[in-house]
Amino acid sequence: MSFRPLDRAGIAARIARDIPEGWFVNLGIGIPTGVSDHVPLDREVIFHSENGVIGAGPAPAPDQVNPYLVNAGTQHITLRTGGAFVHHADSFAIARGGHLDLCVLGAFEVSETGDLANWARAPDEPVKQVGGAMDLAIGAKRLWVAMEHITKGSGGSRLRRVCSYPLTAKGVVKRVYTDLAVLDVTPEGFRVIDMVPGMTPALLQEKTEAKLHWA
Amino acid sequence: MSFRPLDRAGIAARIARDIPEGWFVNLGIGIPTGVSDHVPLDREVIFHSENGVIGAGPAPAPDQVNPYLVNAGTQHITLRTGGAFVHHADSFAIARGGHLDLCVLGAFEVSETGDLANWARAPDEPVKQVGGAMDLAIGAKRLWVAMEHITKGSGGSRLRRVCSYPLTAKGVVKRVYTDLAVLDVTPEGFRVIDMVPGMTPALLQEKTEAKLHWA
Amino acid sequence: MIDKFVADVPAALAGIADGAVVLLPGFGNGTPETLVEGLIAQGATDLTLVANSGGRDTGPTADLLATGRVRKLICSYVRPDSVAGRLFAAGKMELEIVPQGTLAERLRAAGAGIQAFYTPTGADTLLAEGRETRIINGRNCLLEYPLAGDVALIDAWEADRWGNLTHRESARNFNPVMAMAAKLTVVQTRHVLPLGGIPPQNVHTPGVFVHRVVHVPGQETTP
Amino acid sequence: MIDKFVADVPAALAGIADGAVVLLPGFGNGTPETLVEGLIAQGATDLTLVANSGGRDTGPTADLLATGRVRKLICSYVRPDSVAGRLFAAGKMELEIVPQGTLAERLRAAGAGIQAFYTPTGADTLLAEGRETRIINGRNCLLEYPLAGDVALIDAWEADRWGNLTHRESARNFNPVMAMAAKLTVVQTRHVLPLGGIPPQNVHTPGVFVHRVVHVPGQETTP
């Protein structure tokens, strides 16, 4: 019995499949940024960027770069026809006010109660990189997480009964996409809704600290 | 000894004299509305209107009326070159955030501690007309009041030790312009800084419930 | 393809339920008159209406109030001599008076996810009676809560199929903040533009706040 | 005649005192680089700097921090490998981390006269430790206070003599909210327009928030 984990682009593509036309979506830095590459332009999904961009489009050709137009990762982007610019407070009014159909963030850990840890690996970490994650986490209608199932270094599971890292927000994650599976966060805990081909329930549970539930 | 009270336009003109170029000013309904007529256009004073108008100008010629452009009294106005439009929350951010150099409001009564009463004549008045007065009163850098010194009906003084009408805001009025005098509100109470020709201190005090002070 | 345009006013207003909180912009102009007529025809009752004022004896607000289907009016002022004034005096309608700036800010708070805020406006007045207050930096402040709508009826000058809007001059007034404060935001627009027809730096209300748009060309007004 | 233009950068920055709270916009772009250079030359020290991030190893924020004249940095994130990261790690600079949306909202609150507000952002996190919280509608919220500047350094694309501004694309970012949040708002603009050159419905930052403007034509960038 063998399985093939998704690579980062594969996780992004898997997420993209689940985003219907018409959704208004914010993509965090890391794996989530790649999601938009897998949404065909004729499926109209509107991407929001924290720095006041509504309707973020693909990267420009090198000779078409507009230095005044970047995304939340400060990468040069284009604006889709129909997009708009707002200032930072209005941009976060959008994020915090429940107007995003979806936000996809990376994470260090997610707990079975939907707690998200994605900004610091220790309470006393000397440097703090919060950015807009706490705002997005509490504000979006749906928060999905994209991350590897297992921590690269220690091999520990990122799907936890309780997060060991400092929280970004409590009880906010609705779904997790990993290189091995897709899991909904439900009142009873993680419920597996998809696995990569070749993966088995027993093996997935073995690689997961939290208890898994099955549909 | 005779004196001539100012008429309403006279009060407005007296106020206009004291507004220097460059101030950003909101004018309330009633006597204050007339103030802008007495500020020459080459003295650049920028008038704000609660409904999102920055740089309100004079009334248009009858054949030049723009139905989409009114002031806070819903009168047709023009926009001065250099003016701008904002939405209602931004307009009141301007008013409440301390960005108005001056607001001039009408009033029923002002107390010697600067309390303003201009929205209801009795606590149980069945109909309430607050509008934007409470916001303007707490937010402007300077609040001046324009009103007749004496109530028309009862002949009572509108400058009180304590307001008898429901308050609009507490301790906010900086100066009062009446048909008889100009008075600053100071820590010791009303201080007379100007009177109409022929008015005497004794007569003005006689017409004023609050104790007057003199520079 | 995202297309927020609907065929007609009944389609735009479909599903507005009895008991709904209705946000209605306007300040001398900027009121979506055709949508209000449509709401009267649609028949929802037991409404809470949020507007700057209670209107006069005629006009959209007065017409809606005159149906008797507004249980409560939330606004910054009511003229004694108006439909609203008489309904309230007769005990036939509840009234909540909110200072105009607080009204705008409570709407924005609902749209922006702010759960409550402190403002000096209205502190030390009758409107503060029985309310929570707090002294911050020496100023007495009132605690104010967001004011969210079930539906906002919005007036626009131009709209595209993503729901991006512009508003004319002072007709902007409450339109952008009410658009962001409702679960369902319905727009009547004078003009329809192709997507991208509104320059992205000059959109007044982004389409993310808009759910349905109906074209109401109406009489062209000059200018 | 109102004319907010000043002759040069030193005139624009005159009077910024030691201990000032400096608001500095920018997010990949939209930072007023010439004004930052001017502030470094001007020499004010013991500053509190409010910015989205602590910057990198080069660039305006890093250059200002490298002078050692910033006592405290208030921002949403600091890169470990940056001037800011090293200054903080070495105990040479205080740091207050504020979630990005809360940062923008606290700036707006300062500009809008909001005395405090409740937000769910940051509740139940380390940032909430020792802070006042409150459960509103079942959500745990943090109480946040306005963040006002003594001076805001603003980047604009176009400006007129009343101080009306436009900003380019995403270079708008924090510029409008920081402009409204400071006692003294100083602008560097790429282009000077005659009064009325910016259409009144398309002003991004109204001149009422602006005190001084300096023309910094710089290198024309395409587009």
Side-chain angles (χ1 to χ4, degrees):
Chain A
M1 193 162 57
S2 79
F3 66 90
R4 190 185 309 171
L6 297 174
D7 61 11
R8 291 164 66 90
I11 299 174
R14 178 64 188 79
I15 293 170
R17 269 173 47 194
D18 290 348
I19 301 178
E21 180 160 78
W23 274 18
F24 181 52
V25 178
N26 183 292
L27 301 175
I29 292 169
I31 298 173
T33 302
V35 170
S36 58
D37 294 340
H38 300 279
V39 176
L41 284 175
D42 63 355
R43 190 204 306 167
E44 289 190 340
V45 172
I46 303 177
F47 292 104
H48 168 260
S49 201
E50 292 94 301
N51 54 328
V53 181
I54 301 171
D63 61 342
Q64 296 289 316
V65 165
N66 176 352
Y68 300 101
L69 179 47
V70 298
N71 64 12
T74 68
Q75 300 160 311
H76 293 296
I77 56 169
T78 51
L79 188 78
R80 291 199 60 170
T81 300
F85 300 107
V86 297
H87 64 54
H88 235 90
D90 281 349
S91 183
F92 276 91
I94 289 170
R96 293 152 60 119
H99 305 284
L100 288 165
D101 294 297
L102 172 66
C103 177
V104 188
L105 293 178
F108 299 137
E109 296 177 340
V110 174
S111 83
E112 63 187 12
T113 55
D115 296 355
L116 171 69
N118 80 346
W119 71 283
R121 290 176 187 272
D124 58 349
E125 192 168 65
V127 169
K128 320 289 187 185
Q129 300 190 270
V130 169
M134 290 184 181
D135 309 285
L136 290 161
I138 61 93
K141 284 180 200 157
R142 295 170 191 83
L143 182 68
W144 293 353
V145 161
M147 63 182 186
E148 271 100 25
H149 208 94
I150 301 289
T151 303
K152 276 205 187 67
S154 65
S157 168
R158 294 176 184 269
L159 292 98
R160 318 284 301 183
R161 278 166 297 181
V162 176
C163 288
S164 64
Y165 290 162
L167 294 191
T168 305
K170 199 171 171 177
V172 290
V173 179
K174 294 286 177 289
R175 185 179 285 180
V176 182
Y177 291 80
T178 76
D179 50 338
L180 305 183
V182 182
L183 311 94
D184 274 345
V185 179
T186 72
E188 57 180 358
F190 289 113
R191 178 186 299 268
V192 182
I193 58 171
D194 198 6
M195 295 188 295
V196 292
M199 176 59 66
T200 66
L203 188 57
L204 191 66
Q205 180 64 74
E206 193 179 296
K207 292 172 176 295
T208 308
E209 193 237 26
K211 181 169 171 5
L212 298 179
H213 302 264
W214 306 86
Chain B
M1 192 162 56
S2 78
F3 66 91
R4 190 185 311 172
L6 298 174
D7 61 11
R8 292 164 67 89
I11 298 173
R14 178 65 188 79
I15 293 171
R17 270 173 45 194
D18 291 348
I19 301 177
E21 181 160 79
W23 273 19
F24 182 52
V25 178
N26 182 291
L27 300 174
I29 292 169
I31 298 173
T33 303
V35 169
S36 58
D37 294 339
H38 300 279
V39 176
L41 284 175
D42 64 354
R43 191 204 303 167
E44 289 190 339
V45 172
I46 303 177
F47 292 104
H48 168 259
S49 201
E50 290 95 302
N51 54 328
V53 181
I54 300 171
D63 61 342
Q64 296 289 316
V65 165
N66 176 352
Y68 300 101
L69 180 46
V70 298
N71 64 12
T74 67
Q75 300 159 312
H76 293 297
I77 56 169
T78 52
L79 188 78
R80 290 199 60 171
T81 300
F85 300 107
V86 296
H87 64 53
H88 234 91
D90 281 350
S91 183
F92 275 91
I94 289 171
R96 293 152 60 120
H99 306 284
L100 288 166
D101 294 298
L102 171 66
C103 176
V104 188
L105 293 177
F108 299 138
E109 296 177 339
V110 174
S111 84
E112 64 186 12
T113 55
D115 295 354
L116 170 69
N118 80 345
W119 71 283
R121 290 176 187 271
D124 57 350
E125 193 167 63
V127 170
K128 320 288 188 186
Q129 300 190 270
V130 169
M134 291 184 181
D135 309 286
L136 290 161
I138 61 92
K141 284 181 199 156
R142 296 170 190 83
L143 182 68
W144 293 353
V145 161
M147 63 182 186
E148 271 101 24
H149 208 93
I150 300 289
T151 303
K152 275 205 188 67
S154 65
S157 167
R158 294 177 184 269
L159 293 97
R160 318 284 301 182
R161 278 166 296 181
V162 175
C163 289
S164 63
Y165 290 163
L167 294 190
T168 305
K170 200 170 171 178
V172 289
V173 179
K174 293 288 177 287
R175 186 179 284 180
V176 181
Y177 290 80
T178 76
D179 50 339
L180 306 182
V182 182
L183 311 95
D184 273 346
V185 179
T186 73
E188 58 179 358
F190 289 113
R191 179 186 298 268
V192 181
I193 59 172
D194 197 6
M195 295 188 294
V196 292
M199 177 56 68
T200 65
L203 188 55
L204 191 67
Q205 180 64 75
E206 194 179 296
K207 293 174 176 293
T208 309
E209 193 237 29
K211 182 168 171 3
L212 298 179
H213 301 264
W214 306 85
Chain C
M1 196 174 88
I2 299 170
D3 188 356
K4 297 182 179 176
F5 281 96
V6 297
D8 52 27
V9 170
L13 301 176
I16 298 178
D18 292 350
V21 177
V22 178
L23 311 182
L24 183 63
F27 193 111
N29 47 37
T31 301
E33 303 192 4
T34 304
L35 291 181
V36 176
E37 289 168 17
L39 181 62
I40 292 170
Q42 190 260 7
T45 189
D46 196 32
L47 302 172
T48 295
L49 182 67
V50 181
N52 179 60
S53 88
R56 302 174 186 266
D57 263 349
T58 58
T61 308
D63 293 348
L64 179 57
L65 295 174
T67 63
R69 298 206 297 260
V70 174
R71 183 179 58 77
K72 182 178 183 181
L73 174 64
I74 301 177
C75 67
S76 80
Y77 73 101
V78 168
R79 295 176 180 86
D81 189 25
S82 68
V83 173
R86 287 188 294 274
L87 281 171
F88 176 66
K92 292 179 177 167
M93 185 183 70
E94 294 173 52
L95 181 60
E96 178 181 345
I97 290 288
V98 180
Q100 198 172 127
T102 294
L103 185 68
E105 193 68 21
R106 288 178 62 193
L107 289 159
R108 181 190 176 275
I114 301 300
Q115 303 298 311
F117 62 89
Y118 287 101
T119 176
T121 298
D124 306 309
T125 75
L126 286 178
L127 300 188
E129 280 184 5
R131 304 268 306 280
E132 183 172 344
T133 60
R134 179 172 182 142
I135 294 172
I136 301 177
N137 285 326
R139 302 190 79 175
N140 196 20
C141 296
L142 268 178
L143 182 62
E144 297 283 356
Y145 290 95
L147 186 50
D150 294 302
V151 59
L153 306 181
I154 298 298
D155 170 76
W157 179 246
E158 298 162 323
D160 65 27
R161 66 178 171 82
W162 280 12
N164 293 307
L165 310 179
T166 67
H167 312 281
R168 281 291 300 263
E169 287 89 6
S170 70
R172 190 179 310 192
N173 60 66
F174 281 94
N175 281 288
V177 283
M178 287 186 168
M180 71 193 286
K183 291 193 197 89
L184 172 67
T185 294
V186 180
V187 176
Q188 75 168 68
T189 185
R190 186 64 64 97
H191 299 286
V192 177
L193 293 191
L195 198 64
I198 305 171
Q201 71 275 21
N202 296 334
V203 170
H204 297 155
T205 299
V208 299
F209 299 133
V210 170
H211 304 97
R212 300 176 189 165
V213 187
V214 60
H215 185 203
V216 180
Q219 192 180 342
E220 280 308 316
T221 312
T222 308
Chain D
M1 196 175 88
I2 299 170
D3 189 355
K4 297 183 179 175
F5 281 96
V6 297
D8 53 26
V9 170
L13 301 176
I16 298 178
D18 292 350
V21 176
V22 179
L23 310 183
L24 183 62
F27 193 112
N29 47 37
T31 301
E33 303 192 4
T34 305
L35 291 180
V36 176
E37 290 168 17
L39 181 62
I40 292 169
Q42 189 258 12
T45 190
D46 196 32
L47 301 173
T48 295
L49 182 67
V50 181
N52 179 61
S53 90
R56 302 174 186 267
D57 263 349
T58 58
T61 307
D63 293 348
L64 179 57
L65 294 174
T67 64
R69 298 207 296 260
V70 174
R71 183 179 59 76
K72 182 179 183 180
L73 174 63
I74 302 176
C75 67
S76 79
Y77 74 99
V78 168
R79 296 176 180 85
D81 188 25
S82 68
V83 174
R86 288 187 294 274
L87 280 170
F88 176 65
K92 292 178 175 170
M93 185 183 70
E94 295 172 52
L95 182 60
E96 178 182 345
I97 290 288
V98 180
Q100 200 172 126
T102 295
L103 186 68
E105 193 68 22
R106 288 179 62 193
L107 289 160
R108 181 190 175 275
I114 301 300
Q115 303 299 309
F117 61 89
Y118 287 101
T119 176
T121 299
D124 306 308
T125 76
L126 286 177
L127 299 188
E129 280 184 4
R131 304 267 306 279
E132 182 173 345
T133 60
R134 179 172 183 143
I135 294 172
I136 301 177
N137 284 328
R139 300 190 79 175
N140 196 21
C141 296
L142 268 177
L143 182 62
E144 296 283 355
Y145 290 95
L147 185 50
D150 293 303
V151 60
L153 306 181
I154 298 299
D155 170 75
W157 178 247
E158 300 163 322
D160 66 27
R161 65 178 172 81
W162 279 14
N164 293 307
L165 310 179
T166 65
H167 312 282
R168 281 292 299 263
E169 286 88 8
S170 72
R172 188 179 310 192
N173 58 67
F174 282 94
N175 281 288
V177 283
M178 287 186 168
M180 71 193 285
K183 291 193 197 87
L184 172 67
T185 294
V186 181
V187 176
Q188 75 168 67
T189 185
R190 185 64 62 97
H191 299 287
V192 177
L193 294 191
L195 198 64
I198 305 170
Q201 70 277 22
N202 296 335
V203 170
H204 297 156
T205 299
V208 300
F209 298 133
V210 170
H211 303 98
R212 299 175 188 165
V213 187
V214 61
H215 185 201
V216 179
Q219 192 180 342
E220 281 308 316
T221 312
T222 306

